[in-house]
Amino acid sequence: MSHSLPWIADALNELAAEGLLRRRRVTRLLADGHCETDTGSVIDFASNDYLNLASDPRVIAAAVEALQSGSVGARASPLVCGRTEWHERLEQRLAQFEAQPDAILFPTGMAANVGTIAALCGPGDLILCDRFNHASLVDGCRLSQAQLRVYRHDDLATLERELKKGAANARRWIVTDTVFSMDGDLAPLPDLCDIAGRCGANLIVDEAHATGVFGDNGRGACEALNVEDRVAVRIGTLSKAIGVQGGFVAGPSELIEFLWNRARTQMYSTALAPAFCAAAAVALDIISNEPWRRTQLAAACTLFRTQLRIAGIESTATSCGPIVPVIVGDPQAAVRVAARLEQQGFLVGAIRSPTVPKETSRLRIVITCAHRDEDLGRLAMAIGEEVTQFV
Ligand SMILES: Cc1ncc(COP(=O)(O)O)c(C=O)c1O
């Protein structure tokens, strides 16, 4: 430990004592939703590869082809050295997929959220932000220097009251995830749109966990809840159901042009690797052409929730779709149960503070379309036994 930073050892010891220390580890993705960890081959119920596209041979082949015909890295910010044909094609494909005139890419979903919010909102504005929003939305709000009010999760009365109080602010914004990443529930988007309408506010939403999963065409929760035209800004990521890496905004041409000129996480960062662009474009084709993935995923989610109930476990009532939280409470207990599940062949996330409130440490089980019915049943039984025995 460096002599100039002696407090770091104390901070790490404190985290360990509270059961909050994160452990680095290596895992290797295998086929069909399995991965290899230091405990052997396990079924992956921890990652966000909802449609099993991260290891799809067609997606990988597209990345390889782009690698072989160009460069590995994008070499600079796209505003400095230009972007490749792979970037342009992906922007066009995303715009088409999202039924919008144009799209802009970011190096990650985190960069898309931070950069977009900080570009659009500014000092003098008022932002209302759901308490359970992803860290990247919160960081974007903070960076914007707008006045920030965090409202209790889904507390629509407070949201409306606070927005009304901000009538003198230059602009008013509601910022929300459409699917909350640790609770798996959908934001009440039609209500949020109504409130925005009544209060002269605009909605910025993050569809990270909804793209590819919700909506008849896989465009996300806004499509599923029929509010696409009522939401001012929709941000997405390529790293979850699309199975690759990167972030994006698809929307009206003026919005995209504005972000090209003002979103600092895009302007001052090297562009996405071209191979990721090629891979993501093929993944979008697969999502459009193979709707059975979404259907199969939805059936697996229903089956798993039923099996959990049979095993005596209630997930949170509001969760729907592929993210299934099982609240354990104590952080050390969550880690212990996850480790025991891994010994039985299931990789499950143990989620603790600061990602979720301290007293709500949980298992975060993620269902994908690669999971087989029998594995869903076995995992539900295992969770039932472990949670009742060890918590
Ligand atoms: C809701 C939400 N938004 C944004 C992100 C960031 O996306 P990315 O991993 O592509 O940076 C995440 C990632 O965990 C997320 O859960």
Side-chain angles (χ1 to χ4, degrees):
M1 178 62 60
S2 155
H3 282 300
S4 60
L5 303 171
W7 55 270
I8 287 184
D10 294 340
L12 289 173
N13 288 337
E14 225 168 85
L15 284 175
E18 291 180 50
L20 299 177
L21 195 66
R22 267 55 171 178
R23 188 162 71 95
R24 282 182 282 179
R25 58 190 315 202
V26 174
T27 60
R28 189 165 69 89
L29 184 57
L30 307 169
D32 299 328
H34 285 63
C35 69
E36 196 175 277
T37 72
D38 42 16
T39 58
S41 171
V42 293
I43 306 173
D44 177 10
F45 284 97
S47 74
N48 301 308
D49 189 14
Y50 303 120
L51 299 179
N52 195 30
L53 291 178
S55 57
D56 188 286
R58 295 164 291 180
V59 176
I60 292 172
V64 170
E65 191 192 333
L67 271 176
Q68 286 172 339
S69 69
S71 64
V72 179
R75 296 150 31 247
S77 159
L79 290 177
V80 173
C81 70
R83 64 212 203 285
T84 68
E85 72 207 80
W86 308 105
H87 294 86
E88 187 180 43
R89 256 186 246 157
L90 178 58
E91 288 161 11
Q92 290 168 355
R93 185 68 187 90
L94 276 167
Q96 183 195 26
F97 180 84
E98 295 284 348
Q100 293 291 327
D102 205 354
I104 180 171
L105 297 172
F106 289 82
T108 63
M110 173 103 185
N113 280 337
V114 171
T116 300
I117 296 171
L120 290 168
C121 311
D125 289 2
L126 171 66
I127 303 178
L128 270 291
C129 181
D130 189 292
R131 176 166 174 239
F132 286 178
N133 277 345
H134 188 258
S136 53
L137 293 173
V138 177
D139 289 354
C141 294
R142 288 180 179 149
L143 193 62
S144 75
Q145 298 183 53
Q147 191 184 341
L148 176 60
R149 293 256 184 283
V150 176
Y151 59 95
R152 246 186 324 137
H153 184 50
D154 284 353
D155 180 354
L156 300 180
T158 301
L159 166 64
E160 183 156 8
R161 197 174 53 245
E162 291 297 324
L163 275 176
K164 283 185 173 151
K165 278 195 219 159
N169 285 88
R171 298 189 190 93
R172 288 156 294 285
W173 304 89
I174 301 171
V175 172
T176 187
D177 279 318
T178 62
V179 173
F180 290 90
S181 56
M182 296 301 135
D183 289 82
D185 55 329
L186 282 171
L189 292 172
D191 293 331
L192 294 178
C193 290
D194 289 346
I195 292 172
R198 287 198 291 274
C199 300
N202 278 303
L203 222 66
I204 299 177
V205 304
D206 175 11
E207 292 263 38
H209 292 278
T211 305
V213 174
F214 290 97
D216 287 345
N217 298 287
R219 291 203 292 268
C222 292
E223 184 191 14
L225 297 174
N226 198 24
V227 296
E228 283 174 296
D229 295 342
R230 304 177 69 196
V231 168
V233 184
R234 279 191 287 142
I235 309 171
T237 172
L238 305 172
S239 64
K240 310 209 187 298
I242 296 170
V244 188
Q245 175 106 42
F248 67 92
V249 174
S253 305
E254 273 184 2
L255 168 66
I256 302 306
E257 193 63 28
F258 179 82
L259 293 176
W260 267 105
N261 283 278
R262 295 292 288 276
R264 292 165 66 91
T265 53
Q266 199 268 1
M267 296 168 74
Y268 299 109
S269 191
T270 298
L272 203 54
F276 289 163
C277 298
V282 168
L284 287 168
D285 290 344
I286 296 172
I287 292 173
S288 295
N289 297 333
E290 298 180 4
W292 62 263
R293 287 174 187 272
R294 230 170 7 263
T295 317
Q296 194 162 305
L297 175 61
C301 294
T302 304
L303 176 69
F304 182 65
R305 284 189 170 80
T306 307
Q307 300 279 14
L308 258 190
R309 224 166 285 130
I310 292 169
I313 300 290
E314 279 299 328
S315 178
T316 52
T318 50
S319 101
C320 62
I323 300 169
V324 186
V326 173
I327 308 294
V328 170
D330 176 59
Q332 270 144 343
V335 172
R336 199 168 55 234
V337 172
R340 290 184 60 90
L341 290 171
E342 190 170 331
Q343 282 160 11
Q344 296 170 58
F346 309 108
L347 184 67
V348 165
I351 310 294
R352 297 162 281 164
S353 170
T355 311
V356 294
K358 222 175 197 166
E359 65 289 359
T360 69
S361 296
R362 65 195 64 187
L363 304 175
R364 176 179 183 265
I365 300 116
V366 177
I367 310 301
T368 77
C369 70
H371 293 140
R372 295 178 311 175
D373 291 358
E374 67 214 61
D375 295 330
L376 295 168
R378 284 196 308 117
L379 174 61
M381 289 296 294
I383 291 174
E385 277 168 28
E386 295 298 335
V387 169
T388 42
Q389 202 174 331
F390 290 98
V391 175

